[in-house]
Amino acid sequence: MASNIGMMDSAYFVGRNEILTWINSTLHLNLSRIEEAASGAVQCQMMDMTYPGVVPMHKVNFDAKTEYDMIQNYKILQDVFNKLKIDKHIEVNRLVKGRPLDNLEFLQWLKRYCDSVNGGIMNEYATFFENYNPVERRCKGGKDRNLRCSIKGSKSLQTNIVNHSGSGTALNSNPTSGAKQIRPSGVENEPNKSAEIEALSQQVADLKIAMGHLEKERDFYFAKLRDIEILCQASEVDNNPMTVATKKILYADEAKESALDEALGYLNQTLNSVQDEAETEA
């Protein structure tokens, strides 16, 4: 099933907002950026929900911050893939760097895979999915004790942030004296705060517009690459040297320094071989 999800599949056109919504609603999290899932713990729990009992959740580190800890999570995930005979190699070295595009592509693949599997076993495991408590599974199973283990814990964290964001006198046990000390400065700074909020809101709006343009540009070039891939797969030109060279660029691993140099080298080698054969025949 996994092998049928190619790089030009429609799964890779799912936007980051939809991916984040899927993660947050399914696992009761509050991620705001794709790179927040770079540790591999989210992916492990998605597989835990899809295949009950297969993922050793007690080994998953939801508080992983170092590359070493993240790699351990991905090793668990790769072992699960191998156990389930899922033909998917995880590019761990790229994912742990936290680059948004690499992590987005992997999560796009994972969503497509989990959706296809869950759709097929929903009737069989309907009771399990209804009773699956992602927060409880993280607290009891995983190593994390700080990653939103409960709604209460999350609210407490937010309360602490609010209480500590101002001056220490804001927490004065005497409400009268505290209010009198802080209110004058707050009133004086209110116009400045409003202007700052308005400026930040404008920046957010501009960033959303820029992100929308980037996503459209990405989709445009993905469509172009898909057209080229389909053309290269045509039986009429499949063995053509130019087609082979183009495939070397399309399917090159990022670790290679220059796929273009390799493609040009192949073309030169092929051309020299043809010339040598022609001279021999002459």
Side-chain angles (χ1 to χ4, degrees):
M1 184 182 300
S3 59
N4 295 330
I5 307 177
M7 65 174 291
M8 294 303 172
D9 191 275
S10 59
Y12 294 104
F13 293 90
V14 177
R16 66 179 184 86
N17 290 333
E18 184 175 344
I19 294 294
L20 288 172
T21 300
W22 171 62
I23 293 174
N24 291 333
S25 61
T26 303
L27 301 183
H28 298 177
L29 291 171
N30 190 28
L31 305 185
S32 59
R33 298 180 302 167
I34 288 294
E35 49 268 40
E36 290 181 47
S39 70
V42 166
Q43 294 83 334
C44 287
Q45 189 168 14
M46 282 296 183
M47 294 302 295
D48 176 63
M49 186 173 183
T50 304
Y51 293 99
V54 176
V55 181
M57 288 293 289
H58 64 283
K59 295 182 179 180
V60 179
N61 188 348
F62 281 89
D63 198 31
K65 291 182 175 60
T66 66
E67 288 193 9
Y68 174 80
D69 290 335
M70 294 179 184
I71 290 173
Q72 302 311 307
N73 284 341
Y74 282 112
K75 283 184 177 180
I76 295 173
L77 186 62
Q78 188 69 70
D79 289 341
V80 171
F81 283 0
N82 295 339
K83 184 184 300 184
L84 297 172
K85 301 186 185 308
I86 299 175
D87 185 19
K88 177 66 174 176
H89 174 68
I90 303 174
E91 299 288 348
V92 179
N93 293 332
R94 295 166 62 178
L95 294 173
V96 297
K97 299 298 182 183
R99 289 180 295 190
L101 182 58
D102 291 331
N103 282 274
L104 175 61
E105 289 179 354
F106 184 62
L107 289 170
Q108 287 169 330
W109 174 89
L110 184 65
K111 182 180 187 304
R112 175 61 176 273
Y113 180 81
C114 290
D115 287 349
S116 62
V117 174
N118 293 341
I121 64 174
M122 187 60 71
N123 292 332
E124 182 179 354
Y125 291 108
T127 302
F128 170 80
F129 281 107
E130 290 176 1
N131 297 330
Y132 185 86
N133 188 327
V135 177
E136 184 178 352
R137 284 292 289 166
R138 286 196 293 275
C139 292
K140 290 185 177 181
K143 296 181 181 179
D144 170 59
R145 294 296 178 270
N146 300 311
L147 181 62
R148 305 173 178 87
C149 281
S150 66
I151 298 177
K152 181 179 179 180
S154 178
K155 288 183 177 179
S156 298
L157 178 61
Q158 293 175 5
T159 303
N160 289 336
I161 292 174
V162 171
N163 289 341
H164 288 83
S165 62
S167 64
T169 55
L171 299 177
N172 195 311
S173 58
N174 187 335
T176 304
S177 61
K180 289 181 178 179
Q181 292 174 8
I182 294 175
R183 186 172 298 172
S185 61
V187 172
E188 291 175 1
N189 294 330
E190 186 173 351
N192 292 335
K193 289 182 179 179
S194 298
E196 184 178 354
I197 291 173
E198 184 177 353
L200 290 174
S201 299
Q202 184 60 45
Q203 289 182 18
V204 171
D206 292 341
L207 287 173
K208 287 183 178 180
I209 294 174
M211 183 60 68
H213 290 324
L214 287 175
E215 289 182 351
K216 288 181 179 179
E217 186 176 2
R218 180 205 63 187
D219 295 346
F220 173 79
Y221 286 111
F222 260 65
K224 292 292 184 183
L225 286 172
R226 178 55 178 162
D227 290 341
I228 294 173
E229 184 182 41
I230 293 174
L231 180 63
C232 290
Q233 291 174 347
S235 58
E236 297 83 359
V237 298
D238 188 49
N239 295 322
N240 185 284
M242 184 60 72
T243 300
V244 175
T246 302
K247 287 182 179 180
K248 288 182 178 295
I249 297 176
L250 279 176
Y251 303 129
D253 186 82
E254 190 181 42
K256 294 182 178 180
E257 294 183 358
S258 178
L260 178 59
D261 291 342
E262 182 180 353
L264 289 173
Y266 170 81
L267 286 175
N268 290 332
Q269 184 180 359
T270 303
L271 180 59
N272 292 335
S273 299
V274 172
Q275 290 177 345
D276 291 342
E277 291 179 3
E279 291 175 359
T280 301
E281 292 177 359

